[in-house]
Amino acid sequence: MKEFRLDLLEAERIANDGAYLRFLRERNLSAGLYALGAGAQDTQRPQAQDVLNFVVSGRASMTVGGETTTVARGSVVYVPAGTPARFHHITEDLRVMVVFSPPEG
């Protein structure tokens, strides 16, 4: 079993001075914590993997392909591999648990 606490993951992400912290990598999936401050620009590119985004906290808009939705705590957004996706109009600091399948890099 592997167990993670979001508060400890957030502290580790901050200590490593990055917007993204990968905390799990297994044969079929990987997971990370992604953080963007209010007003920040999301510069991610299309991913080679399917991605599941679970919004832990914050508020923003998210565009996937040609569709846009508002996301907030509890939102879950699936992004098929190769599809452009980004967060924008971030009005509250955003924390997103991201799951990749197959695992990222």
Side-chain angles (χ1 to χ4, degrees), residues 3-33:
E3 181 259 340
F4 305 94
R5 288 184 35 188
L6 287 173
D7 58 339
L8 298 177
L9 294 172
E10 177 70 357
E12 183 179 348
R13 184 195 63 76
I14 291 168
N16 288 307
D17 202 27
Y20 181 73
L21 171 71
R22 182 173 62 201
F23 61 87
L24 179 68
R25 188 175 198 293
E26 296 294 329
R27 187 170 59 89
N28 293 315
L29 65 85
S30 62
L33 182 63

Side-chain angles (χ1 to χ4, degrees), residues 2-82:
K2 295 181 181 179
E3 181 259 340
F4 305 94
R5 288 184 35 188
L6 287 173
D7 58 339
L8 298 177
L9 294 172
E10 177 70 357
E12 183 179 348
R13 184 195 63 76
I14 291 168
N16 288 307
D17 202 27
Y20 181 73
L21 171 71
R22 182 173 62 201
F23 61 87
L24 179 68
R25 188 175 198 293
E26 296 294 329
R27 187 170 59 89
N28 293 315
L29 65 85
S30 62
L33 182 63
Y34 188 40
L36 293 165
Q41 296 292 321
D42 181 6
T43 59
Q44 67 177 302
R45 294 187 172 96
Q47 303 293 328
Q49 309 84 354
D50 287 343
V51 182
L52 192 65
N53 296 277
F54 172 71
V55 178
V56 175
S57 63
R59 182 172 298 276
S61 294
M62 184 176 192
T63 299
V64 177
E67 297 180 85
T68 298
T69 189
T70 300
V71 297
R73 181 177 176 227
S75 297
V76 179
V77 179
Y78 167 71
V79 180

